[in-house]
Amino acid sequence: MATRPSILITGAAGDIGRATALRFAGKGYRVAVCDVRESAANETTETIRAAGGLADAYAADVGDSASVAELFERLKRDYGRLDAAFNNAGRGGGRTPLDESDDALWDDCIRVNLTGTYYCMKQEIKLMLAQGGGVIVNNSSLWGLHGGPSATYTASKHGIVGLTKSAALSYAGKNIRINAVCPGLIDGGLGLKVLSQAPEFVSGVVGRVPMGRPGTVDDVASAVAYLCSDEAAYITGHSMAIDGGCGSV
C-alpha cells in the first residue's frame, strides 16, 4: 500500500483550520492537527477519525521557538516527512487605531502571526530540504494585501506576505513551493465571529463585497488544497486573495 501523503496544519482547532484539516483528510492525507489548545486539537482529530480519516493531535505555541522545535521533533519521529504544511495559526488585532494601540497587543500579534509563521516555516523548510521537496501555504489576510482597521494585525499579515515571497524565491529551485492565502471576510475564524461585535462595520464590509456575501471556511480550504496539489505545480510566491472580488474594487 502506498504511503499516505502528510500535512501539518497549525491553528487546526479553529474554523478555517478544522475545515482544511477535514478537506485534506478526505483527500487521503495523514493530518498532523496542531493547536495551542490541546483539547481542541483532540476534538478536530476525533472528528477526522470519525469520518474515516487519519489524524494525530499535537499541542504547540507557534510563537515560542522551543515549543515549535519540540513539535517538529515529534513530527519527525511520528511522520518522518511532511509533504505539505498550512501555517494557519493566528490571532486578531481588533480595530484599535495605531495611536491608541497597546504595546502588548502589538507584541503578541507579531509574535503569533508573523514570528509564529517564521518559526514553523524554518522547521518545515529544513525538513523538506532533507526529503527533497514539499509545499507550504501561509495564512495571511486580505489586510495583508491592503490597509486594514488594525495597524497591528495589518502589519503582521503584510509581513507574512513578504516572508512568503522571499522564501519562495530562495527555495524555488529546491522543489519547495511556498504560497499564501489572503482571506477576506470569512464566516468563521477571525472573520464574522470577531467582527460581529461591531455589526454596523460588518454590514458595511459585506455591502462592499462584489459577490454580495462573506466567504466560507470551505472557500479557504479549497484554495489551500489547490495550492498544495500538482495542479498548482508552477505556482510559487503567490498571495491568493479569497475575497469575493474586494481586491478588484
Side-chain angles (χ1 to χ4, degrees):
M1 181 181 295
T3 303
R4 289 191 187 219
S6 57
I7 184 170
L8 166 66
I9 298 177
T10 65
D15 292 344
I16 289 174
R18 184 181 300 109
T20 307
L22 284 164
R23 176 66 59 91
F24 276 87
K27 292 171 69 68
Y29 279 72
R30 181 181 179 186
V31 183
V33 174
C34 178
D35 200 272
V36 69
R37 301 165 295 167
E38 184 173 9
S39 61
N42 284 327
E43 288 178 8
T44 297
T45 300
E46 290 306 315
T47 299
I48 290 171
R49 291 175 177 173
L54 187 59
D56 308 276
Y58 297 88
D61 176 359
V62 298
D64 181 271
S65 60
S67 182
V68 173
E70 181 180 351
L71 166 67
F72 276 84
E73 286 302 314
R74 294 180 63 194
L75 288 172
K76 284 186 280 189
R77 182 189 67 226
D78 297 346
Y79 284 48
R81 63 177 290 119
L82 278 179
D83 298 284
F86 179 36
N87 297 315
N88 168 66
R91 59 150 298 160
R95 298 178 59 223
T96 307
L98 181 59
D99 65 300
E100 298 175 13
S101 183
D102 181 86
D103 289 351
L105 172 63
W106 170 273
D107 289 343
D108 198 52
C109 205
I110 296 297
R111 183 188 76 86
V112 176
N113 294 350
L114 181 55
T115 305
T117 300
Y118 161 77
Y119 285 151
C120 288
M121 285 180 68
K122 189 174 182 179
Q123 295 287 346
E124 290 154 4
I125 288 168
K126 287 180 179 179
L127 186 55
M128 290 175 181
L129 284 172
Q131 69 193 27
V135 185
I136 297 170
V137 177
N138 298 320
N139 195 355
S140 178
S141 168
L142 179 62
W143 289 333
L145 300 174
H146 307 281
S150 167
T152 296
Y153 182 79
T154 300
S156 71
K157 293 299 187 175
H158 270 266
I160 290 173
V161 169
L163 190 60
T164 298
K165 290 180 179 295
S166 178
L169 286 174
S170 296
Y171 301 101
K174 302 290 186 181
N175 197 33
I176 299 174
R177 296 191 297 105
I178 305 171
N179 295 290
V181 289
C182 300
L185 189 64
I186 302 299
D187 65 355
L190 299 177
L192 286 180
K193 272 188 176 180
V194 175
L195 296 178
S196 62
Q197 299 170 16
E200 291 183 2
F201 176 74
V202 173
S203 177
V205 172
V206 173
R208 292 194 295 272
V209 176
M211 291 184 69
R213 67 168 178 87
T216 70
V217 292
D218 287 329
D219 290 329
V220 181
S222 295
V224 176
Y226 168 70
L227 289 171
C228 287
S229 73
D230 290 341
E231 293 179 344
Y234 201 54
I235 299 175
T236 195
H238 179 58
S239 299
M240 179 183 288
I242 308 166
D243 62 1
C246 289
S248 300
V249 175

